[in-house]
Each structure stands twice: as C-alpha cells, then as structure tokens.
Amino acid sequence: MKIYETHDKAVKNIAGYDVRPGLFDVNGARITNKGINFTIHTHFGTSVELLLFHPGEDEPYAILPFPEAYRIGDVYSMIVFGLNHEDFEYAYRVDGPYNPQKGHLFNKNNILLDPYARYVSGQEIWGKRKTQSYRARVVRDVFDWGDMPQSSKALSELIIYELHIRGFTQHPSSNVINKGTFAGLKEKIPYLKELGINAVELMPIFEFDEMANERQYDNNKLVDYWGYNTVSFFAPNSSYTANKSYHEEGTELKELIKALHENDIEVILDVVFNHTGEGNEQGKNFCFKGLDNKIYYMLTPEGHYYNFSGCGNTLNCNNPTVQQMILECLRYWTINYRIDGFRFDLASILGRDHHGQPMNNPPLLRMLAYDSVLRNVKLIAEAWDAGGLYQVGSFPASKRWAEWNGRYRDSLRGYLKGYNHEAWNVAWSICGSSDLYGGYLSEHHNNYSGYNSCINFFTCHDGFTLYDLYSYNDKHNLNNGWFNTDGTNNNLSWNCGEEGETDNTEVLTLRYRMMRNACAILMCSRGAPMFLAGDEFGNTQFGNNNSYCQDNEISWLDWSYLEKNKDLFEFFKFMIAFRKKHKIIQKKLPNAVCGMDGLHAHYIYGDQVENIPQDTRFIGISMAGYDSKQQQDDIIYIAVNTHWENNHITLPPTYNAGSWFLTVNTYGDENKKYYYEEGQEKRIEHNFVIRPRSVCVFVLKKF
C-alpha cells in the first residue's frame, strides 16, 4: 500500500484537515500510516460529504466535502490526516435527485452509514434504544491467526448445531460468566465437545438493531431478537461482545472462532442478503436507500419495493454493484474471520433478476460458486423465498451449493406422525435424496454429490423445537402480539395425546420416544445432519413456532432441562458418535466384500427383493461398503415402524459375513435401555419384533 506524506503536493486543507485523494480500490474506512482513508461510491448521487462526530454527539464537529478531483467514476476517496481512529465516529451525506417514482431518494441532509463499516457505534448495549443515527467507527485489526489451516472436512462429515448467540447462554441456568455473548459461547465449548458436534451454525451475527421495531405487548417488550434485519454486512453485532472495545476489529468473535477451530468445530454463518433493515416505503433511510436506492433494491415500475423477502424490501442481488458488495463481504468474513461456511437465508431471492423473475443461470450464484477465495467454503442455500419460489432439489447451484432439504423435514415429520403416504419420500430422504440431487460425481468435492448436497433436519430456529414438535398440535404464538396469525400452520407436529405440558406418563413416554426416533433417523441419514440447539435435552419454546421477537425465557435455552432429560442428551451423544464411527453413512465406500448391495430399501421381509408399498408403515434401509481404514465391511440396517402396533420383520440376509446386532432401540428394553455400547449389542437372529412407533438400528458384525 502506498504511503502518502503530508508534504505531498496533492494535499489540500478542508475544514481544518489536511487531505488528499485516497485509495479508490479500498472500500470503507481504513487506517494508513499517516491518516485514514475513506472510500465510498454512488452512481446516481451528485456529491458526497464526510461527517466526523465526537462519540455520542448528535451534530458533526467537522464536515468534509469530497472535491470533484477526488472522484474516479462513481467512487469518492479521500485520505484525512491528523485523525486518531479512537476519537471519532463517522458517517456520510449524499446529494442527488429526489424522485421516488423513478427510485431516487437522495436527501443532502440525511446521515448515512458506511455500507462497508466494520464497526457500528451506539449498538453495544443490548435492548437500549438508540437515539442517534447509525454511525461507524474505524477499527484496527490486531488479531493474529498464526498458521491455522482451513478445515478440510466434507459437508457430510459435519454434525451441524444451529444456535443463537444470545439465547444460547442468556438464561440464568447457563452458568457462564459472560451471558448472551461470543465469550459466553466460548465458555460452552467443552459442552459442545462432549455432545460431539463439529460445526456450529450461528444465527445472524452481522450488526442489526434489535430495537428498530420495538413494541410493547401484554407488558412485554418485543424486539428483533433473531436479527434477520441487517444494518451492516461487514460489522459483527457489538451487543454480542462481553468486553466492549471500540478500537479493535472483532477480536472477541475471532477469539471464539479460533477456539472453536482448535477444538475441531467449524463455524457457519447464517447470512441475510435477501433484504436489509431499511424496510419498505415507511422504513428508515440510513444506508443503501440514500446511497443508490434504485441500484440496491428491486423496485416496481412505480418505484415501490418488491417484497419477495416478506420483510419490506428485496436486495437487487444481480445488479453488478450489489454482486460485488456481496462477494467482498463473503471474502472479508472468510479471510478476516476464517469462516468455514455460509447459510444463505431465503437464497432463492439471490437468483431473481431486477424485475423479480427467476433466472436460469444467476450470475451472483455462479460468481460465488467459482470464486477463488471461497473455493473451499461451504455454501448452503435455503432454497425458497417468501415470494413463493421453491427450489429444493433444483437450486441453480453450479453443482457447488448445498441446500436445506425441506423435503426431508416435511416427509419425515409427516411419516413419523402417521402419514404413511410419505413412505417413498422418506426412503429417498434417508438414502441421501438422490432423486433430488442426483448421483453424479461432484467435480468440486471429489465425492458422491448426494452426501454433500443436502442438509437434513427436523427442526431449526424457524418453527417448533423438537420437544414442541411432539407436544403441540398447533402453534401458540399469542405472545407475539399478532393474535396467533404469525408463524406457519403447517407444522406436521403431533402432541401425542395432550396439548402442551402434562403429567401423563403415557403421553410423556411417547413424546420422548418420538424425539429419539427423529434423532436416530437424522443421524443415520445420508447428507449432513443439522439440529437446533437445545433439542438434545428437550428445550421448549412453549409452543411458539415463530419466536423472532421473544427475548426472554421463550427463546433462551433453559439448561436445567439438561439434567432433567439426561437420558435424551446421552441418546443424542450416542447417535452422533455412531454416525461418526460408521463412514458408510457419511460417504460412498467401495463395495462390501461380502457382496451386499451398497444401498437398498426394504419392506417387512428384508430377505425379499421387492419395491416397498407406497403407503407402508414400515421402512428398512440397509447401507453397506468396505471401510479400508478399519479393513472390514461397514454395514448397518435402519428399521422404522410408524405403526401403533408391533411389527414382525425379518432382517436382510447376512451373506455369511456375520450376524445382525441390535445397537439402537428407541422403544427401549425391559431396563429402559435405548442403545448399546460396542461389545454390549444384542445379537439378533433372522426374525425380529419391532415395537410400536419406534426405530431400531442394527450392525452386521462377526461374532
């Protein structure tokens, strides 16, 4: 980087500061040797001013207009000398045409946040309403990553654990020092290691303003708890930090990520590029609207906002300017924060053109798929949007992206509660959904694509927890203040006989069995499993399936359930370890030496080769291959009985390779034992009685 001296002939004085033309190819505000470089761009704007504020004050103490000579194309850049980055906040004002019908909302008096800001001031205290405009601080990167290598795990090797930074440790029962923060999550790493997960998917951590849409309902304060209304794409949420530092670039978050990596846990970020926190015509104008509304947002011919996000506006992701910002953002988080993957909220929007029409080969998706920096980063699409575009299995992904497998969630939920017409969808889903994702050899991952194309899940932040999935027939969202009209009605849930909390032993027994069923199937399904934090110990949201606004016990994990439901936690631990042990679930192996088919769906009689009925209440799946590392065949059989009665089945032939051993039985034996450690498995002859509404897993081994 070139260093400019203040005696340079290009230096001039503006508002009492020596300035000169800056670094036009470095977006945002960056510290140089002698000053601070400020770069911003606007296409339709006609002039730009830099505003400097004393921290916390409403009026700028200095206003520095960018001279026309400090502009190249649409880019304005200026180095300001004599500034200490610790002493000020900054923002911009941009003048230009005001014509809403043509998409222009310029206002020379409007204070605008730098879209490339790496720290947004005034956001540090969670739940405190901000009285000033959004402004940025200049921060210094002081973190040293050393020689930490990038993770080489395939997607199918991951066990993904979705969590909310604040909600994970905010409850008093979390027993951490730094509740609701990055540091609080770091304190819980030993727990994550014990559970066995090797990837955390963090709900939005980009800066958002939880108080932007604050309201009161029934004496409760409702806020933007989830954080899906981004204020700044390059800045971590400062209210998630325990040690408030206004001068360092995300040090506490980087310390968390480094600690997770040192414990062999990848970090995936939930990113929101489908809309911003500026809302619709009634929303705020604090950044993109004032910089280039017509470029950054999809607008109707009348200048209104298309709303394919369901949140008021839709980013115009296939405009080259927006594409470039998104690419720079993902590169920044990959390089500066060593992020391992990104899950894209409502990703189908990323494939719409500026009129909102789906594109066959969206340039943004292709650009991200082939970018050199993002080459080994996981790209995960939520392959639908609020405008009705549903692309599960058909996301235009250049054979590079994975998808949240919505078909898996819906078919397994329905089948386990008794919708036997889902049998074929369930069989496909457990086997890796190759009917959706194909059986081709992936040129990008050098692995069988079905394993690395889908994220399998029963639950996520959006919807019921696993406990609530089997405790409520209907959503209970009255606390959200919308008369229970928000949140999906298509939960495919089942209360097992009574709605909500109960002391009925029979109902509770069934509920916990259903949770074990879901866990066992999830961990034995091809593709990457994901589950919601707290599911492993029966955390509840009391029937709320849309807790986006609930910053309280509804959303916070209650860690007291960990002791109460210790058996469920231990079952999750066992199933996670079981999945890791059996590579046949994770990836394609060479053919089994014994000659058993690599993958087969079975009906009740496992030794008969026949197609399973479309409406069967029993499904069996066998997986077989040769594990060269263990130097033996790896063969398992998953049996699923959704009937309310016993089912008499026969197990598949063993090809003289050994005997079947029962390893998992979610119904439990006479001692209420649901799984058996190695060496304690129960040898099973050809016939077996699988109990009502239960799942069994068998391993073929020599005796």
Side-chain angles (χ1 to χ4, degrees), residues 205-222:
I205 63 166
F206 292 177
E207 189 65 80
F208 64 91
D209 187 350
E210 74 281 357
M211 301 299 288
N213 298 302
E214 179 210 4
R215 53 197 170 91
Q216 294 288 327
Y217 179 76
D218 197 23
N219 295 321
N220 291 318
K221 181 168 70 173
L222 304 180

Side-chain angles (χ1 to χ4, degrees), residues 294-476:
K294 190 171 184 177
I295 285 178
Y296 285 102
Y297 295 110
M298 290 186 192
L299 302 177
T300 69
E302 299 76 30
H304 300 302
Y305 294 95
Y306 282 117
N307 188 21
F308 299 111
S309 67
C311 297
N313 64 55
T314 306
L315 269 179
N316 190 14
C317 294
N318 285 293
N319 178 283
T321 299
V322 185
Q323 289 176 35
Q324 187 64 31
M325 183 199 70
I326 293 174
L327 177 61
E328 287 185 64
C329 178
L330 296 176
R331 283 184 158 206
Y332 170 72
W333 285 95
T334 300
I335 295 170
N336 289 53
Y337 287 86
R338 305 300 171 90
I339 297 303
D340 301 290
F342 300 94
R343 177 266 184 188
F344 293 77
D345 182 63
L346 299 182
S348 290
I349 285 177
L350 277 61
R352 291 182 182 267
D353 65 18
H354 67 284
H355 295 299
Q357 296 301 309
M359 307 171 73
N360 290 327
N361 191 18
L364 174 62
L365 301 183
R366 184 174 176 82
M367 178 191 297
L368 300 184
Y370 292 102
D371 181 71
S372 56
V373 171
L374 305 179
R375 177 67 177 80
N376 296 318
V377 170
K378 279 98 177 165
L379 303 177
I380 303 169
E382 184 184 34
W384 55 83
D385 65 24
L389 187 57
Y390 188 81
Q391 297 177 304
V392 171
S394 62
F395 191 72
S398 301
K399 312 304 182 190
R400 170 69 170 83
W401 291 58
E403 299 174 11
W404 270 21
N405 192 344
R407 199 272 301 273
Y408 183 98
R409 174 198 59 199
D410 297 341
S411 63
L412 263 298
R413 281 187 177 191
Y415 189 65
L416 287 184
K417 71 174 287 189
Y419 292 173
N420 49 311
H421 64 273
E422 290 281 11
W424 281 15
N425 281 335
V426 166
W428 279 112
S429 296
I430 294 175
C431 293
S433 298
S434 60
D435 60 325
L436 296 180
Y437 302 109
Y440 49 78
L441 189 67
S442 171
E443 60 180 309
H444 298 285
H445 294 291
N446 194 29
N447 206 338
Y448 191 72
S449 68
Y451 297 90
N452 285 311
S453 295
C454 63
I455 308 294
N456 298 324
F457 66 108
F458 275 84
T459 60
C460 63
H461 67 277
D462 190 2
F464 281 145
T465 67
L466 188 60
Y467 180 87
D468 291 358
L469 188 65
Y470 297 112
S471 299
Y472 296 91
N473 282 346
D474 304 300
K475 65 187 181 184
H476 293 263

